[in-house]
Amino acid sequence: QSVLTQSPSASGTPGQRVTISCSGSSSNIGSNYVYWYQQLPGTAPKLLIYWNNHRPSGVPDRFSGSKSGTSASLAISGLRSEDEADYYCAAWDDRLNAVVFGGGTKLTVL
Amino acid sequence: QVQLQESGPGLVKPSETLSLNCNVSGGSISSDYWTWIRQFPGKGLEWIGYISYTGNTNYNPSLKSRVTMSVDTSKRQFSLKVKSVTAADTALYFCARQYSNGWFNDWGQGTLVTVSS
């Protein structure tokens, strides 16, 4: 069982806006930054969002992150077929003294 | 961006030691933190720990008793050892550059390690 909770799957049609959620606790999301990763099939995860809502250079502004209390969300607007991937959230956990990940959400573009 | 490449045996026997190397190219190893992350067959990710270029380490407490990391800046390489492995250690092992806790900026392609007799 992952420390951070994500829905196993999400879906949307091209052009739609999709939101992926990540739920944690006061020891992780509630007190530390959240990061989001995209993993395309057969590849390593790629950083999408850092410090809750910042995008690295090269990441389209269709991707946005937010955090409220002990939960965080990744929103993808203008959904495209190439967005079909697994998405993971991550954060430091003060109680476990470790980086913890969500179980991942598989996004399907219908 | 640096490039990272994992190497090591793809098959390890139970109770033996898993050993992996990560070669860093296209940038300096003498900054930031160098980390190992593994992905289980069910796709879950687990942070194993990091080592700095000076040799300071921070291991996941759940693995601390079995994990050792080292760095060789002259070879631009850092390494992972996991002792007393079991089938539960079967995973895709990634090395990555860590800017801060949770921020993994550059990743290797991963290397599959299977623990089996």
Side-chain angles (χ1 to χ4, degrees):
Chain A
Q1 287 283 26
S2 300
V3 174
L4 304 181
T5 301
Q6 297 181 242
S7 296
S9 63
S11 63
T13 55
Q16 244 185 347
R17 184 177 188 271
V18 170
T19 300
I20 294 171
S21 63
C22 176
S23 178
S25 67
S26 58
S27 63
N28 42 64
I29 293 177
S31 52
N32 294 291
Y33 289 122
V34 177
Y35 302 82
W36 288 93
Y37 294 87
Q38 176 194 57
Q39 187 175 30
L40 298 170
T43 69
K46 169 192 167 187
L47 180 69
L48 270 187
I49 298 289
Y50 66 95
W51 291 349
N52 303 332
N53 54 18
H54 292 74
R55 282 185 311 276
S57 60
V59 173
D61 59 6
R62 302 186 296 106
F63 294 90
S64 62
S66 63
K67 184 181 110 167
S68 178
T70 59
S71 294
S73 295
L74 172 72
I76 310 171
S77 59
L79 199 62
R80 304 173 70 160
S81 58
E82 57 259 41
D83 297 332
E84 191 160 284
D86 293 320
Y87 293 85
Y88 296 89
C89 56
W92 178 259
D93 191 294
D94 293 329
R95 182 176 60 83
L96 296 175
N97 285 317
V99 176
V100 292
F101 289 93
T105 297
K106 181 175 180 60
L107 175 63
T108 300
V109 181
L110 302 169
Chain B
Q1 257 186 337
V2 297
Q3 288 76 51
L4 300 105
Q5 179 67 59
E6 306 89 350
S7 61
L11 181 64
V12 181
K13 290 183 167 53
S15 80
E16 295 190 346
T17 297
L18 176 164
S19 296
L20 296 174
N21 293 320
C22 181
N23 286 294
V24 179
S25 60
S28 173
I29 196 172
S30 298
S31 65
D32 303 315
Y33 301 94
W34 303 95
T35 195
W36 290 94
I37 294 164
R38 63 184 182 179
Q39 186 166 35
F40 299 110
K43 292 194 175 179
L45 292 164
E46 180 175 52
W47 175 75
I48 300 171
Y50 70 68
I51 186 166
S52 72
Y53 71 98
T54 59
N56 292 327
T57 57
N58 187 12
Y59 301 146
N60 189 326
S62 69
L63 294 165
K64 191 171 184 176
S65 64
R66 298 195 294 129
V67 166
T68 303
M69 295 183 187
S70 59
V71 62
D72 187 334
T73 54
S74 65
K75 292 184 179 178
R76 300 162 70 93
Q77 182 181 85
F78 61 104
S79 302
L80 168 71
K81 291 187 187 300
V82 181
K83 66 181 183 182
S84 305
V85 297
T86 69
D89 294 306
T90 293
L92 185 60
Y93 285 75
F94 293 100
C95 59
R97 179 167 70 169
Q98 177 172 328
Y99 281 173
S100 65
N101 288 326
W103 187 343
F104 309 111
N105 205 67
D106 304 300
W107 296 65
Q109 65 185 28
T111 187
L112 179 63
V113 177
T114 301
V115 178
S116 175
S117 55

